[in-house]
Amino acid sequence: MSTPQKYELLYWPGIPGRGEFPRLAFEATRTPYTDVSNTVPGGIHQVLAVKADDATHDEAGNPPAFAPPALRVHGEGKNGKTLVLSQTPAILAFLGDKLDLAGADAAERAWIQALALTALDLNNETHDTHHPVSTLAYYEDQKTEALRKAADFREARIPKFFGYFERVLKGNKEGKGKYLVGDKLSYADLALWQVVHGLKFAFPKELKAREDAGEFPTIFKTFFPAVPEHGNLKEYLDSDRRKPYSKGVFRHYPELDRQ
Amino acid sequence: MSTPQKYELLYWPGIPGRGEFPRLAFEATRTPYTDVSNTVPGGIHQVLAVKADDATHDEAGNPPAFAPPALRVHGEGKNGKTLVLSQTPAILAFLGDKLDLAGADAAERAWIQALALTALDLNNETHDTHHPVSTLAYYEDQKTEALRKAADFREARIPKFFGYFERVLKGNKEGKGKYLVGDKLSYADLALWQVVHGLKFAFPKELKAREDAGEFPTIFKTFFPAVPEHGNLKEYLDSDRRKPYSKGVFRHYPELDRQ
């Protein structure tokens, strides 16, 4: 048995999902971490335990998680115990400070948090295109509503979000189109990159039509290819640690894409 | 003309909405602030300007907001200029640090952030009960979908979220049911309180039936009455600064409530 890494990610196995955001932070900074459910035998039970409907505070005083992902950080909890924190934006804010992905000063830190939250809102809205009524019901049982929701998402929400990020990238002169804030990589860049990557999978015709029409050139031509140049990201994306999209947030249902 | 307060809230006039979360943080700590659109003549134009579809960075380098609320903080931006930050969870995290609503140490700070994000997720899901398809379309044009979404929300989501917060309140022994983390008020308490208050307005039969049945006793009997005891909250809630619910996040459509 090897010693556990300082950082242990608790998330569903086999999909990128919301676990991908902290994974990219680790890989972009070459920070060792344990992806528990994907690499530890029986690790899924640790994920289930931290978000169980009857889970309560652990012996270090950590409250249970509402939903995965959760992050365990050894030595950073109460009295030097293990900290367990949850909620993707909170995990990213915490890791941003630790891994130097949170900007150069307090102002950049606040902007990066806001921009990451906005990218995560787009992630959540993507999920709702195939589950507009109920997260528990099957897609097939809410397909009528999904068709309507997806049309609104493609026609109104994608241009609104992409238009916003295009303006932020262009307006940040220091970043030369590669960074949302300042002149170095932040967790907001990683969050936006992952959502654009996922949307290219889920809505390939919609994204290609917009890219081919010359929309959002900074996002598509400058930002998107630049992010994987950092740290270990290229190797990671080519490895089997990067899980394929399947039945998670980003799903490719051709009927929901541009027709 | 009086000098502007250090903190200026930029949000839609006349509704609580997402602006209510920072308002409660100010009122609970008796912190002076300017509620721009509600108190400054023509203030709405300042809200519109910060989130306009063509807004770009201001002269202090602040990126535009994707949507209200935004917060202006004089003297805390780049080179002592004005900081503008957006996204409710980021505003609360920032104010939490400044106004001592973010816990006693780094662990509590992380938990409070996660718990506030979870309360805000419930806030967002409440909005989606009346706008499950499109945020731009009228409720009346998505009522069929809303009826189905609201049923799932009442039957699956309310008990899941309330069950979670009930466990967290009970498991935090120090808090005696009054606080989610530790033994003092945090912005997570304010966020949860506001959402419970709003749900009592939007789904009165559903909430009353659950309370009368003895469900979630810590939330209903201990936590909910305790929060307004802090700072200026009682006076605030009785004042005309507290706006009534109308066409914002919390709407009372009897057909969406328990029948």
Side-chain angles (χ1 to χ4, degrees), chain A residues 84-98:
Chain A
V84 184
L85 73 160
S86 59
Q87 276 279 3
T88 309
I91 292 170
L92 289 179
F94 181 90
L95 289 178
D97 289 342
K98 296 286 176 191

Side-chain angles (χ1 to χ4, degrees), chain A residues 52-53 55 57 62 64 78 87 105 108-109 111 113 118 121 132 134 141 145 148-149 152 164 167-168, chain B residues 52-53 55 57 62 64 78 87 105 108-109 111 113 118 121 132 134 141 145 148-149 152 164 167-168:
Chain A
D53 278 348
H57 292 64
N62 294 289
K78 289 271 187 190
Q87 276 279 3
D105 55 34
E108 292 191 2
R109 192 165 173 272
W111 300 333
Q113 189 168 21
T118 305
D121 282 349
S134 167
D141 293 332
E145 293 89 345
R148 207 176 154 199
K149 177 89 174 177
D152 181 80
Y164 174 72
R167 271 182 289 133
V168 174
Chain B
D53 279 348
H57 293 63
N62 294 290
K78 288 271 187 190
Q87 276 279 3
D105 55 33
E108 293 191 2
R109 193 165 173 274
W111 301 333
Q113 191 167 20
T118 305
D121 282 349
S134 166
D141 294 332
E145 293 90 345
R148 207 177 154 198
K149 177 88 174 177
D152 181 79
Y164 174 72
R167 270 183 288 132
V168 173

